[in-house]
């Protein structure tokens, strides 16, 4: 099992460019998440998807859009990249059902994004 | 709203000594609490979780955590630290019935030989 796979691993963008970060999980999990990690800020939730067909904003959604393409895939799009979006992005998934929110999340290896 | 606080940016401990990494939470509802570890240039790895029942939870690599409802805390502990425990540790909380998972700012643990 690959678990949670993120692509690309590294990316450099110019200000104003757009790109999509891809995430796929092979564990048949219902819930998926996108976080960004910045020094001193910890992990901040950008968007999450509790189940296929639903998405919700997290703590820092501005400047981002997401698509839950199917149960396996959850992509994060930057429409017009800004230097403030320079960060390490992590995708995660967990098995959740109804009120069964006690399961741990599994993380990808991260995407290091630099916006110049 | 749900939130997690990790009051210490860094914890220093000598190898062989006990370690504690602190975490407090704020939720409306019953919490599910998690600890994760991150090694350099890696994703997060799950260590342990509190769901219900015993307040002392045991996890991977000899770590344990104590849930204290009255103090809204979930501190991570280990009786005898190893140099290899040096890493970044994150506490996280989810509320019963909801899928949103929120993390703290992380605590860097440095274990010296």
């Amino acid at each position: 099992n690959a678990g949670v796979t993120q692509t690309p691993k590294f990316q450099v963008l110019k200000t104003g460019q757009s790109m999509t970060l891809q995430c796929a999980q092979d564990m048949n999990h219902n819930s998926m998440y996108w976080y960004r990690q910045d020094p001193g800020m910890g992990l901040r939730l950008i968007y999450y998807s509790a189940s296929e067909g639903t998405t919700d904003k997290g703590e820092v959604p501005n400047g981002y859009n997401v698509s839950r393409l199917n149960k396996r895939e959850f992509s994060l799009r930057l429409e017009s990249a800004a230097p403030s979006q320079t960060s390490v992005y992590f995708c995660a998934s967990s098995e959740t059902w109804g009120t069964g929110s006690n399961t741990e999340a599994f993380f990808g290896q991260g995407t290091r994004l630099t916006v110049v | 709203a749900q939130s997690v606080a990790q009051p210490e940016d860094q914890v220093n401990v000598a190898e062989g000594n006990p370690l504690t990494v602190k975490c407090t939470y704020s939720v409306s509802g019953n919490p599910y609490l998690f600890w994760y570890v991150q090694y350099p240039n890696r994703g997060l790895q799950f260590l342990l979780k509190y769901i219900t029942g015993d307040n002392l939870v045991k996890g991977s690599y000899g770590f344990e955590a104590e849930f204290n409802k009255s103090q809204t805390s979930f501190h991570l502990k280990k009786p005898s630290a190893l140099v290899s425990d040096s890493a970044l540790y994150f506490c996280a909380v989810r509320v019963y019935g909801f899928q949103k998972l929120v993390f703290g700012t992380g605590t860097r643990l440095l274990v010296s030989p």
Side-chain angles (χ1 to χ4, degrees):
Chain A
N1 275 348
V4 179
T5 302
Q6 292 182 235
T7 55
K9 288 186 171 50
F10 301 93
Q11 184 70 48
V12 178
L13 287 179
K14 294 182 178 178
T15 297
Q17 285 185 319
S18 63
M19 81 160 294
T20 299
L21 280 64
Q22 306 286 355
C23 175
Q25 52 92 7
D26 61 5
M27 295 172 282
N28 203 36
H29 286 169
N30 288 326
S31 295
M32 297 185 74
Y33 307 82
W34 276 106
Y35 295 89
R36 58 178 290 173
Q37 183 178 18
D38 303 289
M41 306 292 288
L43 264 72
R44 292 182 291 171
L45 182 63
I46 305 171
Y47 272 93
Y48 67 105
S49 170
S51 62
E52 185 179 356
T54 68
T55 60
D56 287 285
K57 294 180 180 180
E59 303 163 283
V60 289
N62 291 345
Y64 305 95
N65 285 302
V66 291
S67 295
R68 184 74 183 266
L69 304 169
N70 46 55
K71 192 171 185 179
R72 288 187 64 248
E73 298 171 290
F74 188 40
S75 62
L76 178 72
R77 182 160 179 85
L78 287 70
E79 290 291 351
S80 179
S84 61
Q85 294 178 304
T86 293
S87 187
V88 181
Y89 292 85
F90 287 100
C91 177
S93 71
S94 66
E95 179 53 66
T96 55
W97 58 95
T99 56
S101 45
N102 60 7
T103 53
E104 61 270 27
F106 294 80
F107 281 78
Q109 292 300 296
T111 295
R112 189 173 294 274
L113 176 66
T114 302
V115 183
V116 298
Chain B
Q2 61 197 88
S3 65
V4 173
Q6 294 183 243
E8 303 154 316
D9 290 336
Q10 182 163 312
V11 170
N12 298 305
V13 65
E15 188 173 34
N17 284 357
L19 69 88
T20 299
V21 182
K22 296 180 180 177
C23 170
T24 59
Y25 65 91
S26 174
V27 299
S28 298
N30 292 325
Y32 296 129
L33 294 153
F34 304 84
W35 275 102
Y36 287 81
V37 60
Q38 185 183 34
Y39 297 101
N41 300 313
R42 303 291 298 274
L44 276 70
Q45 298 175 32
F46 168 74
L47 276 180
L48 51 80
K49 64 183 176 183
Y50 171 80
I51 302 171
T52 187
D54 287 342
N55 290 338
L56 186 64
V57 178
K58 294 189 183 297
S60 306
Y61 312 119
F63 283 94
E64 56 190 28
E66 187 169 10
F67 173 69
N68 187 316
K69 188 172 184 177
S70 63
Q71 297 185 4
T72 62
S73 67
F74 188 55
H75 299 333
L76 182 69
K77 300 181 179 184
K78 188 174 183 182
S80 178
L82 299 172
V83 172
S84 57
D85 292 331
S86 298
L88 189 55
Y89 290 81
F90 288 96
C91 183
V93 67
R94 195 190 263 137
V95 178
Y96 173 81
F98 297 91
Q99 316 310 337
K100 186 178 181 181
L101 180 63
V102 174
F103 283 79
T105 52
T107 298
R108 188 165 300 281
L109 175 66
L110 185 59
V111 182
S112 54

